[in-house]
Amino acid sequence: MKGTPHLSSYFSLNHIFFDGFLDKLSSLPLAQSRSIDSHTPTESECCVFYGKIYCQFEPCVEVAEAMLVKNGLVKVLGSAQQVDDYINLSGLKPRFQYLDERHVICPGFVEPNMHLVISAILQQWSNLGPFGFDCTWHKLMPNYSFCYIARALLYLDKALSQPKDWLLGYGLCSGLLGHNINDNRKEVYDLINQLNVKRPVAVLDANKAMAYINEPAQELIYEYLTCSGTSPFTSKKIFKEFVDNQKGLYNEQLLWLVGALPDLQLQTQLDNIYEYLDKIVNLALRQGVTHIGIKDTHPFARRILAEYQPANINLVEPRDNWIYALNSLDCINSDLNAINDHTDRSVVINIGDVGYCGYEWVQSYHGQSLLLPCQQLVAQGYNVCLQSGFPMQPLGPMRAAEQACTRIMEYAPGCYTRHERSLLPEQCLTKEQSLNAITSASATHLGCEGGKLQVGGQANFVHLSDDPLATSHCFRDLAIINCYSNVTS
């Protein structure tokens, strides 16, 4: 699909490091897949829901008061009387569910962009960003600092049972540790080498393709380079001075890290791959996601996914290759008449970058050009959809919708007022636009059926604890009571 992506400040999962990592995994034996059980109604079930039901959010909000679902399809959607009349005429004996006063049903959420296999690998590492080790916190932890990273590494070191296992981490947000990101990275590297951790440590930065490594890791990487005959260094001393001067490994040098990782530890991660795929799918369902757009392109990742058939979520292949531009602003002044197909003008935005990295962008030289002009893209005719940024950021479409509505810098000095924390407030999406961006717009981007409720359509929907268009609560604080995903593949 021709489109313009978001510009993310995050370490791209398209990087050569992850291709090299999957290449190495492909040389190891792959365990047999296990599909997770479905928790959705069976094909023969007939259910009726009474209450406030959002059918869609754009171009206008459509609401029904009752819905009958049979064999995974929406049979009736309208007034309670229409549903009751259908039941009486058809002789059905459905299961009835009456929503609480504040509860609502809305279309299932669509996560348009996920490297599912790489995510399942990284979930076996530790997230050293401000979202908890498993990256499930939806708000920044208040005490994210160098001290937190030091305590986390010491804790994780003690938690590893095998003495030869590497301590592997990812997602360290160096941009949130101080005002000068280069000084932050230097301090993180020095910190990791000052800790009394005897095992090899390698931590990937979230904002740049780099890894912080300690001395035991350097020893093993140098040994790998020497044994493989690919070392550009004439001595171990020169290698260590090189790494010390750089404060880590960068870009293609990350392949040295891949080569040095022990096969036994990688085999364990590969043996657990389907278990962690299951965990991600179940996490997605708990967040109301009924469709996931798969971005994995590596042959080994494709092989893993071919063996994996989850029973309760829709894994969707995009219709065409997604074309990536350098900056979402490249499209602002483009000729709208040049492209007639609406789906060819589709943009996936990781709006969490505004929430979590906005202050860093404001301080940077090109900061104002990175602030993702959402409302202007909508006005230009783009199909704007939102992604969560998982696994670097928490998986949560409702959190993304909230951040698109507010564009609030969640990390900024205390002297900033609430008004000053809103980055380009004129670019905020309305609540309706934000909810559309995680439902119908994302389904349009993937070219799949989903994101809206209509008679004859698939029954993919979410039961929420409150009305997102009426509540004063933050979207991310609304509870997902249940998620109904009718798998079509």
Side-chain angles (χ1 to χ4, degrees):
M1 179 178 298
K2 296 178 182 179
T4 308
H6 72 284
L7 176 68
S8 175
S9 64
Y10 279 74
F11 184 179
S12 169
L13 298 188
N14 292 313
H15 194 271
I16 188 174
F17 166 77
F18 296 105
D19 285 338
F21 193 92
L22 289 170
D23 285 340
K24 186 164 184 177
L25 286 183
S26 67
S27 66
L28 305 174
L30 177 64
Q32 186 175 359
S33 171
R34 305 181 320 280
S35 296
I36 56 181
D37 295 331
S38 174
H39 300 290
T40 55
T42 64
E43 285 295 300
S44 60
E45 282 187 337
C46 180
C47 304
V48 175
F49 298 86
Y50 292 103
K52 191 171 187 178
I53 300 169
Y54 285 108
C55 307
Q56 66 176 32
F57 298 102
E58 288 281 329
C60 61
V61 176
E62 290 186 5
V63 181
E65 61 180 13
M67 177 173 64
L68 187 148
V69 175
K70 185 175 185 296
N71 296 333
L73 298 176
V74 178
K75 290 294 186 180
V76 186
L77 184 63
S79 67
Q81 187 63 53
Q82 288 174 309
V83 171
D84 292 342
D85 290 345
Y86 183 90
I87 294 171
N88 293 332
L89 289 173
S90 62
L92 293 173
K93 295 182 179 180
R95 177 172 59 86
F96 296 96
Q97 181 170 342
Y98 296 86
L99 304 185
D100 289 352
E101 182 180 357
R102 297 192 62 85
H103 291 193
V104 298
I105 281 174
C106 71
F109 305 141
V110 180
E111 184 67 34
N113 183 350
M114 185 185 293
H115 293 263
L116 190 55
V117 172
I118 287 296
S119 297
I121 291 292
L122 289 179
Q123 286 283 282
Q124 299 179 63
W125 299 16
S126 295
N127 188 299
L128 289 171
F131 309 110
F133 293 153
D134 54 359
C135 197
T136 56
W137 295 24
H138 286 264
K139 295 181 180 178
L140 295 171
M141 64 174 64
N143 60 337
Y144 191 65
S145 63
F146 295 105
C147 290
Y148 165 78
I149 292 169
R151 293 195 303 269
L153 289 172
L154 292 172
Y155 170 81
L156 293 168
D157 174 41
K158 293 179 180 179
L160 291 173
S161 58
Q162 298 300 321
K164 293 187 177 181
D165 278 357
W166 288 51
L167 197 169
L168 298 172
Y170 76 100
L172 191 152
C173 293
S174 52
L176 301 184
L177 295 171
H179 298 312
N180 189 308
I181 193 168
N182 291 323
D183 289 346
N184 297 346
R185 289 170 182 156
K186 177 181 181 300
E187 191 165 344
V188 169
Y189 176 80
D190 292 341
L191 172 66
I192 287 177
N193 280 281
Q194 291 165 4
L195 294 175
N196 187 29
V197 177
K198 304 301 183 184
R199 70 175 72 248
V201 176
V203 178
L204 302 179
D205 193 277
N207 306 97
K208 190 176 181 65
M210 66 170 295
Y212 307 99
I213 55 175
N214 66 351
E215 287 191 13
Q218 292 177 29
E219 293 277 350
L220 293 175
I221 291 171
Y222 180 77
E223 180 181 330
Y224 158 73
L225 291 173
T226 302
C227 294
S228 64
T230 59
S231 177
F233 308 99
T234 56
S235 70
K236 184 184 298 184
K237 179 181 178 182
I238 293 175
F239 169 71
K240 289 192 172 183
E241 288 176 349
F242 173 81
V243 176
D244 283 341
N245 288 334
Q246 287 195 149
K247 304 304 178 185
L249 300 178
Y250 287 80
N251 295 321
E252 289 80 3
Q253 298 165 10
L254 293 175
L255 294 177
W256 303 346
L257 171 60
V258 172
L261 291 174
D263 285 354
L264 185 60
Q265 187 172 359
L266 296 183
Q267 182 65 65
T268 300
Q269 294 184 6
L270 187 57
D271 290 343
N272 295 332
I273 190 70
Y274 294 112
E275 175 186 347
Y276 277 85
L277 287 171
D278 290 351
K279 288 183 177 180
I280 293 173
V281 165
N282 282 318
L283 173 63
L285 289 167
R286 292 196 301 273
Q287 293 298 323
V289 176
T290 59
H291 296 72
I292 297 177
I294 302 302
K295 277 210 62 188
D296 300 87
T297 57
H298 190 280
F300 187 61
R302 304 301 305 169
R303 177 186 163 193
I304 291 173
L305 290 175
E307 295 291 324
Y308 182 65
Q309 299 296 328
N312 56 355
I313 205 165
N314 297 281
L315 302 183
V316 183
E317 299 285 348
R319 289 188 295 187
D320 299 296
N321 291 329
W322 296 354
I323 299 177
Y324 285 91
L326 292 176
N327 193 312
S328 62
L329 286 179
D330 292 345
C331 58
I332 290 299
N333 296 315
S334 60
D335 182 6
L336 291 179
N337 296 322
I339 302 176
N340 295 320
D341 185 355
H342 181 63
T343 59
D344 282 343
R345 300 181 62 81
S346 190
V347 53
V348 182
I349 292 178
N350 184 0
I351 197 65
D353 285 355
V354 171
Y356 302 136
C357 304
Y359 179 69
E360 176 192 341
W361 290 359
V362 168
Q363 299 305 305
S364 70
Y365 181 75
H366 296 290
Q368 291 299 319
S369 68
L370 303 178
L371 293 181
L372 303 175
C374 301
Q375 193 61 253
Q376 191 169 354
L377 289 171
V378 171
Q380 291 270 0
Y382 277 82
N383 177 64
V384 174
C385 48
L386 304 174
Q387 67 165 344
S388 297
F390 188 78
M392 298 298 184
Q393 296 175 4
L395 178 58
M398 286 295 276
R399 182 264 301 169
E402 176 194 324
Q403 290 174 319
C405 289
T406 64
R407 297 180 64 90
I408 289 178
M409 264 188 311
E410 298 181 29
Y411 168 82
C415 60
Y416 275 68
T417 66
R418 180 176 177 83
H419 174 72
E420 291 171 332
R421 287 173 181 265
S422 184
L423 302 179
L424 300 184
E426 70 276 8
Q427 297 298 336
C428 289
L429 297 180
T430 65
K431 285 186 174 183
E432 293 82 358
Q433 288 172 328
S434 293
L435 292 167
N436 183 66
I438 61 172
T439 53
S440 181
S442 289
T444 298
H445 185 82
L446 291 177
C448 68
E449 179 184 346
K452 61 177 62 177
L453 294 171
Q454 55 191 351
V455 175
Q458 300 292 335
N460 295 287
F461 55 96
V462 179
H463 181 180
L464 296 175
S465 64
D466 210 337
D467 184 343
L469 296 184
T471 183
S472 60
H473 296 296
C474 297
F475 280 0
R476 74 183 87 184
D477 292 336
L478 302 187
I480 308 295
I481 305 298
N482 215 333
C483 178
Y484 299 82
S485 177
N486 178 46
V487 180
T488 59
S489 58

